[in-house]
Amino acid sequence: MSLAEALGYRPDEKLLIVNADDYGMCHAANEGIAQLLAEGAVSSATVMMPCGWAKEAAEWAAAHPQTDVGVHLTFTSEWTPYKWGPVTRHGSVASLVTQEGYFPADSASFERRADPEEVRTEIVSQIELAMRMGVMPTHLDNHMGSLYGLGTGRDFLGIVFDICASYGLPFRIPRYVDMGLEVPAEAAKTAGLRAAQAEPKAW
């Protein structure tokens, strides 16, 4: 059965999902994304739980349960003057952060240092924090492709798919990304997941 059929459409129908990520990154982003969701101009959004404005985004999502809002799994902090770090408060996630305690600015730095079990811990922490704030995530995706192995080829997709399966959440994943890496959607199927495949995105 195709994904279109599983969603109640004909097998030959083309479906377009327009997702607004970086929800929770700042107040301005929250205002714009909330308006787009309310107007139906985008299909869904994903919240960056480590960011300073995540609570505002989560409260809006909790107050509008009819909207599709998920978690934008975040392991990089790309802006020079505005930084964020892990939401994990119990257990070590030291391999995920810089000396200043923030996520690294790029995917390659994250991939080289990250301990897989600490990645697993932080993914679960981000999902659980969203749920404690009243969000019932409809899906997951990933900020800057840090979990795809874009920087060094060292990916964490096996962990992602395992967690998605345990929570019963789909994962939005690109067919190809700007470096030409083919993301293994078949691995998602092996884990019993349906991965919504997006068109290429340049970060």
Side-chain angles (χ1 to χ4, degrees), residues 153-169:
R154 183 181 182 229
D155 71 75
F156 300 88
L157 290 174
I159 294 170
V160 172
F161 296 155
D162 182 52
I163 292 172
C164 284
S166 68
Y167 281 90
L169 293 172

Side-chain angles (χ1 to χ4, degrees), residues 181-200:
L181 172 71
E182 183 173 1
V183 177
E186 287 304 314
K189 293 179 182 178
T190 301
L193 303 176
R194 289 193 177 275
Q197 292 191 315
E199 291 307 309

Side-chain angles (χ1 to χ4, degrees), residues 82-164:
Y82 175 38
K83 291 294 185 181
W84 48 80
V87 303
T88 298
R89 295 295 178 263
H90 302 286
S92 173
V93 285
S95 72
L96 308 183
V97 298
T98 65
Q99 290 183 342
E100 295 178 331
Y102 302 119
F103 287 133
D106 60 277
S107 295
S109 297
F110 161 75
E111 292 166 26
R112 280 192 291 265
R113 294 194 61 231
D115 177 90
E117 286 308 307
E118 293 183 8
V119 172
R120 180 185 296 274
T121 296
E122 178 63 15
I123 290 174
V124 171
S125 293
Q126 291 184 21
I127 296 170
E128 290 290 331
L129 178 58
M131 294 173 69
R132 288 198 302 274
M133 289 185 176
V135 179
M136 297 306 296
T138 57
H139 64 296
L140 306 175
D141 59 16
N142 177 219
H143 185 58
M144 293 178 65
S146 57
L147 299 171
Y148 301 159
L150 300 185
T152 66
R154 183 181 182 229
D155 71 75
F156 300 88
L157 290 174
I159 294 170
V160 172
F161 296 155
D162 182 52
I163 292 172
C164 284

